Amino acid sequence: MELIDTGRIRLGVDRRGEGQPVILVGGTGMPPIAWEVAGLTAALSGNGFDVIAYASRGVAPSDAPSPQCTVADLAEDLISLIDTLALDRPPALVGYSLGSFTIEHLLSTCPNKFSAGVLIAGPGPTTPLLHSVVNCEAALIDRLGTLPAEVMTMQTLLTALPPTALATADPLVDQWASMCAYQSDQWTSSDGEVAQARASHAWLRDKERMDRLQHIEVPVLAVAFEFDPLLGPVQAQSAVDLIPGAELCVIPEAGHGGVVTHAQHVVPRVLEFLVKHHS
């Protein structure tokens, strides 16, 4: 991974393949290697795309300049990276969760800079459950200055995995619990984790964000997971109804972490969409 100084921030970047540029924007604490584990990096680079995956601010080895951050800040980081790379063609954007928030912001505010967008487990209104998650995390940060690893592991297991895996003590649960034990190693610092959490909280509390979806002018694919308790198919459909010409793909039997656990279904659909709209 190359550490690129954009003049605004230093970001860790992994670039593969040649062709039309596609930028992969990770979720909270998500390192670029997660896209590789899911198989999306290889699928896109092997099919004629220039794949650019990067670590958002706060995720190692990128900078974590402050514990304060907004989705607009994350979007400006990405714009500065695109300008530094001097791409000769408008890129397509693929984002997961927090990365999807970043893409929503960019597609609605910079309609001429991008060719297409894929929003995975991100678009849709904030539900009462999601409000509770946001309020819990915010209260922990206010009281402790950080998010306890034990709490985040529990939250990840309960939201990322399908209910059948949780109810049957599937080995997948133990695998994800072990993976969560190393999550702290993915952060540049505790400031990075708090900054990304605050960006997500502010976004999900923004009562006008759904209205802005109507300003998106490029082709959009929304990918939702059947058993995602945070931002599932019902919420995604609400977003798709507002985005002109948008498509919805629902991945069955997956939780919020379906981008990895059900990658065999996600990757072909994303590839199909980008070949059609970005080749």
Side-chain angles (χ1 to χ4, degrees):
M1 190 185 305
E2 181 182 3
L3 191 61
I4 294 179
D5 189 343
T6 71
R8 169 183 171 85
I9 191 171
R10 293 182 304 167
L11 298 171
V13 179
D14 181 21
R15 192 168 185 178
R16 313 280 182 91
E18 298 180 355
Q20 293 278 48
V22 177
I23 301 177
L24 308 181
V25 190
T28 300
M30 182 175 173
I33 195 173
W35 295 110
E36 189 172 343
V37 170
L40 186 59
T41 303
L44 293 176
S45 62
N47 282 274
F49 292 103
D50 174 10
V51 185
I52 302 162
Y54 72 101
S56 297
R57 68 161 64 195
V59 177
S62 299
D63 288 342
S66 167
Q68 304 295 332
C69 181
T70 65
V71 166
D73 291 327
L74 296 173
E76 286 300 320
D77 291 347
L78 178 50
I79 291 293
S80 72
L81 176 61
I82 292 171
D83 290 344
T84 301
L85 295 176
L87 301 178
D88 58 1
R89 287 167 284 189
L93 302 177
V94 178
Y96 167 67
S97 198
L98 177 59
S100 174
F101 303 164
T102 304
I103 292 175
E104 285 181 52
H105 176 82
L106 286 170
L107 294 185
S108 64
T109 57
C110 309
N112 299 320
K113 285 185 173 289
F114 308 100
S115 70
V118 179
L119 309 175
I120 304 173
T126 307
T127 64
L129 174 61
L130 192 47
H131 270 300
S132 295
V133 171
V134 166
N135 291 340
C136 176
E137 289 184 0
L140 287 170
I141 290 173
D142 289 343
R143 295 172 190 175
L144 304 176
T146 187
L147 291 168
E150 297 84 357
V151 174
M152 300 314 295
T153 294
M154 178 184 68
Q155 179 176 300
T156 297
L157 295 179
L158 291 176
T159 59
L161 302 181
T164 50
L166 297 172
T168 60
D170 188 294
L172 187 65
V173 180
D174 187 51
Q175 294 169 12
W176 273 67
S178 299
M179 180 182 68
C180 288
Y182 296 98
Q183 179 63 44
S184 61
D185 296 336
Q186 302 297 337
W187 296 110
T188 306
S189 67
S190 61
D191 279 356
E193 182 178 19
V194 169
Q196 287 205 357
R198 283 177 167 156
S200 180
H201 299 166
W203 177 262
L204 292 168
R205 288 168 169 165
D206 183 349
K207 296 181 180 179
E208 298 180 358
R209 64 185 180 84
M210 290 293 292
D211 292 337
R212 293 194 291 270
L213 293 174
Q214 301 173 69
H215 302 301
I216 295 178
E217 300 175 357
V218 301
V220 166
L221 171 67
V223 178
F225 302 119
E226 181 182 10
F227 295 128
D228 185 345
L230 300 178
L231 287 157
V234 174
Q235 294 97 296
Q237 184 65 64
S238 296
V240 166
D241 289 344
L242 292 172
I243 303 172
E247 305 173 32
L248 174 62
C249 169
V250 178
I251 305 298
E253 301 182 357
H256 191 69
V259 68
V260 174
T261 62
H262 290 66
Q264 74 273 23
H265 302 297
V266 176
V267 171
R269 187 64 184 90
V270 173
L271 177 61
E272 177 189 25
F273 175 81
L274 291 176
V275 167
K276 178 180 179 181
H277 294 287
H278 188 55
S279 294

